[in-house]
Amino acid sequence: MTGAGVSAESGIPTFRGTDGLWKNYSVQDLATPHAFKRDPGLVWDWYRWRQNIILKAQPNPAHYAIVELERMFERFLLLTQNVDNLHYRAGSRKVLEIHGNIFRVRCSECGKENPFTCIDESIHELPRCDCGGLLRPDVVWFGEAIPSRVWAESLDYLNTAQVAVFCGTSGVVWPAAAIPGLAKELRIRTIEINLEPTPFSRTVDVSIMTRAGETLPRIVNALSAAE
Ligand code: BV8
Ligand code: ZN
């Protein structure tokens, strides 16, 4: 399972990092249905700003090491909290995006996916679906439930896993933050890779406090040598 820390070395600001995300707004001010209702243009500006940063960024060695792990293990699943699509750009395919994808757009009324992209021009008039509903980024906002199919698939997979690696997540956003504890209860071997201690550092079997971009490739090299 990955969090914003895996994309940090690609230059994508993390959510709880010092640089925050945008001007003096916090994620909780903008990534909510309430914020979108109150000022959809501001929320679209924020997502366009983030999309532009992400499109200028490249996947980093952490992303590519995770692609290698997917190739090495027949049974492998990547749960990502990241909405930046960098895992997909690096080559990951067995991925569940539990918080959605910043480049996908759907209608806030009928839910239909929409090919709208906001990259080049600023949002003069708000993008609408042919049903008249406002289009929105297809991400899970605070206060919104994770899509039930994605959550059910995540837990089903966890029930059969032998090893779980938690990389670059502060473990404060629920319900994703519940997964390390669930893994522990299921007696799964748990490994954490982070730059700082997290709420589950004391309960994981192995906690490695180094950069994801350095540690994941070392794990892949060690596994390849052992093959
Ligand atoms: C829900 C998409 C209910 C949007 C995101 C009080 C207690 C418990 C829960 C709550 C509470 N108050 C409110 C809640 C609920 C809330 C929540 O958990 N709030 C938190 C802040 C307390 N959760 C929700 O609202 C969820 N929904 O509960 O709905 C419900 C249920 C049923 C029916 C209806 C409603 C929805 C949560 C999803 C929110 N959406 N993203 C967008 O991105 O625009 S969350 C957002 O935060 C991102 O997805 C991000 O991934 C995620 C988590 O953050 P992290 O990935 O962990 O990133 P962070 O910056 O925090 O940490 C980075 C880590 O990386 C750090 O530890 C750092 O040390 C490390 N790092 C940095 N560099 C490196 C590194 N590690 C390794 N190498 C490096 N180089
Ligand atoms: Zn619609």
Side-chain angles (χ1 to χ4, degrees):
M1 182 166 100
T2 59
V6 163
S7 295
E9 292 167 67
S10 296
I12 312 288
T14 62
F15 285 80
R16 264 152 284 282
T18 42
D19 45 12
L21 261 178
W22 190 44
K23 299 184 186 156
N24 47 5
Y25 288 95
S26 92
V27 181
Q28 265 89 331
D29 297 338
L30 292 164
T32 70
H34 177 69
F36 188 69
K37 215 172 182 66
R38 191 184 55 226
D39 189 346
L42 175 75
V43 173
W44 266 118
D45 283 347
W46 181 51
Y47 278 95
R48 191 175 69 253
W49 174 78
R50 288 171 65 190
Q51 287 186 1
N52 278 304
I53 290 180
I54 294 165
L55 287 176
K56 290 190 189 86
Q58 297 301 326
N60 69 64
H63 294 107
Y64 291 114
I66 292 169
V67 176
E68 277 313 299
L69 289 173
E70 178 176 327
R71 287 200 190 113
M72 288 172 118
F73 291 94
E74 179 56 29
R75 289 187 50 67
F76 174 95
L77 180 67
L78 170 63
L79 304 183
T80 187
Q81 300 171 89
N82 299 342
V83 298
D84 59 30
N85 206 41
L86 284 177
H87 283 302
Y88 192 83
R89 280 174 55 192
S92 288
R93 288 299 177 268
K94 292 181 177 175
V95 189
L96 282 180
E97 293 173 316
I98 50 180
H99 293 157
N101 185 311
I102 196 171
F103 293 103
R104 251 198 334 266
V105 172
R106 65 175 157 83
C107 174
S108 51
E109 299 296 328
C110 72
K112 226 165 60 183
E113 216 177 307
N114 191 291
F116 171 78
T117 61
C118 67
I119 282 303
D120 26 27
E121 77 290 347
S122 68
I123 311 280
H124 297 306
E125 80 268 0
L126 293 169
R128 287 190 182 275
C129 167
D130 44 27
C131 83
L134 266 181
L135 294 180
R136 56 165 284 177
D138 190 12
V139 296
V140 177
W141 279 330
F142 286 98
E144 292 185 322
I146 290 179
S148 46
R149 181 193 59 75
V150 169
W151 188 242
E153 264 186 56
S154 305
L155 298 189
D156 283 352
Y157 206 84
L158 197 67
N159 274 310
T160 65
Q162 291 167 298
V163 179
V165 182
F166 302 101
C167 191
T169 179
S170 59
V172 298
V173 172
W174 293 77
I179 292 185
L182 289 172
K184 195 76 198 157
E185 278 167 34
L186 291 163
R187 304 220 183 298
I188 294 170
R189 295 281 288 160
T190 48
I191 301 167
E192 169 185 49
I193 300 168
N194 200 312
L195 291 181
E196 65 181 11
T198 66
F200 48 85
S201 294
R202 277 193 310 281
T203 52
V204 292
D205 295 305
V206 180
S207 179
I208 309 171
M209 292 282 129
T210 53
R211 289 184 305 105
E214 170 202 336
T215 313
L216 283 169
R218 286 178 58 192
I219 289 174
V220 168
N221 294 339
L223 287 168
S224 315
E227 265 183 327

Coordinates of all heavy atoms in Angstrom, one line a residue, residues 107-112 129-133, ligand 2:
C107 N -19.5 12.8 -13.6 CA -20.6 13.7 -13.4 C -21.0 13.6 -11.9 O -21.2 12.5 -11.4 CB -21.7 13.4 -14.3 SG -23.2 14.3 -13.9
S108 N -21.2 14.8 -11.3 CA -21.5 14.7 -9.8 C -23.0 14.4 -9.7 O -23.5 14.1 -8.6 CB -21.3 16.1 -9.2 OG -21.8 17.1 -10.0
E109 N -23.8 14.4 -10.8 CA -25.2 14.0 -10.7 C -25.4 12.5 -11.1 O -25.7 11.7 -10.3 CB -26.1 14.9 -11.6 CG -26.0 16.4 -11.3 CD -26.6 16.7 -9.9 OE1 -27.5 16.0 -9.5 OE2 -26.1 17.6 -9.3
C110 N -25.1 12.2 -12.4 CA -25.4 10.9 -12.8 C -24.2 9.9 -12.7 O -24.4 8.7 -12.9 CB -25.9 10.9 -14.3 SG -24.5 11.2 -15.5
G111 N -23.0 10.4 -12.3 CA -21.9 9.5 -12.0 C -21.2 9.1 -13.3 O -20.1 8.4 -13.2
K112 N -21.7 9.4 -14.4 CA -21.0 8.9 -15.7 C -19.6 9.5 -15.8 O -19.4 10.7 -15.5 CB -21.9 9.4 -16.9 CG -22.2 8.2 -17.9 CD -23.3 8.6 -18.9 CE -23.0 9.8 -19.7 NZ -24.1 10.1 -20.6
C129 N -21.9 17.8 -17.5 CA -22.3 16.6 -18.2 C -23.5 16.8 -19.1 O -24.2 17.8 -19.0 CB -22.7 15.6 -17.1 SG -23.5 14.1 -17.6
D130 N -23.7 15.9 -20.1 CA -24.9 16.2 -21.0 C -26.2 16.1 -20.2 O -27.3 16.5 -20.6 CB -24.9 15.4 -22.3 CG -24.5 13.9 -22.0 OD1 -24.8 13.5 -20.8 OD2 -24.0 13.2 -22.8
C131 N -26.1 15.6 -19.0 CA -27.3 15.5 -18.2 C -27.5 16.8 -17.4 O -28.5 17.0 -16.7 CB -27.3 14.4 -17.1 SG -26.4 14.8 -15.6
G132 N -26.5 17.7 -17.6 CA -26.7 19.0 -16.9 C -25.9 19.1 -15.6 O -25.6 20.2 -15.0
G133 N -25.5 17.9 -15.1 CA -24.8 17.9 -13.8 C -23.4 18.4 -13.9 O -22.8 18.4 -15.0
Ligands
ZN2 ZN -24.5 13.5 -15.7

